[in-house]
Amino acid sequence: MALNASTTLPHPVEAVVDVLTRRDFVEHVSQRAGATLTEFTVSGPVSGAFTTTTGRTLPTDRFPEMVKKFVGQTLNVTQHESWSAPAADGSRTVDVSVDVAGAPVKVKAVQKLVAASGSTTIELNGDVSSSIPFLGGKIAATAEPYLAKALNLQASEAKKWLDQPA
């Protein structure tokens, strides 16, 4: 199942990167999504290439019964991001993979933070897949809207965070 989402923030890429890599912000977004942040690490200086690892526990109470049968009452989700060093204009590329413990769902995506006149367009393109025969497509199709909503939540919360007076 293809995963495609895009949004624009009226802030420069450097400011967006700063917010997206703050533990307090990641914890805030996790809570807003109804999840519990269990891990967050940044490896390397954010001024260059670096990686992040984010672990969350998510309740499955809003998932369809078909999905809950496979995954139980909670999901442990680990997101790995490999960030490029900034391009000359500040733009970044992020390779994203998401693993869901105990669930046959995989996400591989590329997120681009594109600089444009003091704004940042965040584009996410990737695939959601499931390895369960016959039901895999339905499970992936169920996961895709949640992932798109997560990007929109992250972007809207980042905008609010960045709009606050310093």
Side-chain angles (χ1 to χ4, degrees):
M1 172 70 48
L3 174 62
N4 299 295
S6 179
T7 190
T8 300
L9 298 175
H11 298 278
V13 173
E14 186 177 313
V16 173
V17 171
D18 180 57
V19 167
L20 296 180
T21 57
R22 292 179 55 151
R23 181 183 183 88
D24 55 348
F25 175 76
V26 174
E27 189 161 25
H28 169 77
V29 171
S30 298
Q31 290 171 350
R32 293 274 294 131
T36 302
L37 184 68
T38 58
E39 172 187 11
F40 182 70
T41 59
V42 177
S43 300
V46 297
S47 58
F50 65 95
T51 61
T52 64
T53 301
T54 307
R56 294 179 176 99
T57 300
L58 300 156
T60 59
D61 55 336
R62 295 185 204 163
F63 288 24
E65 286 301 319
M66 170 189 72
V67 175
K68 285 195 266 187
K69 287 180 184 179
F70 287 101
V71 299
Q73 294 182 354
T74 61
L75 291 175
N76 292 314
V77 178
T78 304
Q79 182 172 329
H80 300 281
E81 297 179 344
S82 180
W83 291 69
S84 71
D89 67 353
S91 295
R92 300 272 190 141
T93 300
V94 186
D95 292 322
V96 180
S97 66
V98 178
D99 297 308
V100 182
V105 176
K106 297 285 182 198
V107 179
K108 294 282 184 194
V110 174
Q111 180 172 280
K112 293 182 180 180
L113 283 73
V114 181
S117 302
S119 293
T120 303
T121 298
I122 302 173
E123 300 170 351
L124 183 68
N125 294 292
D127 290 302
V128 180
S129 61
S130 177
S131 60
I132 295 179
F134 306 112
L135 293 177
K138 287 183 181 182
I139 291 172
T142 299
E144 188 275 332
Y146 287 100
L147 295 167
K149 285 179 186 176
L151 174 67
N152 289 333
L153 174 64
Q154 180 185 43
S156 67
E157 291 300 315
K159 181 181 182 316
K160 289 177 193 175
W161 199 278
L162 288 163
D163 287 347
Q164 292 178 11

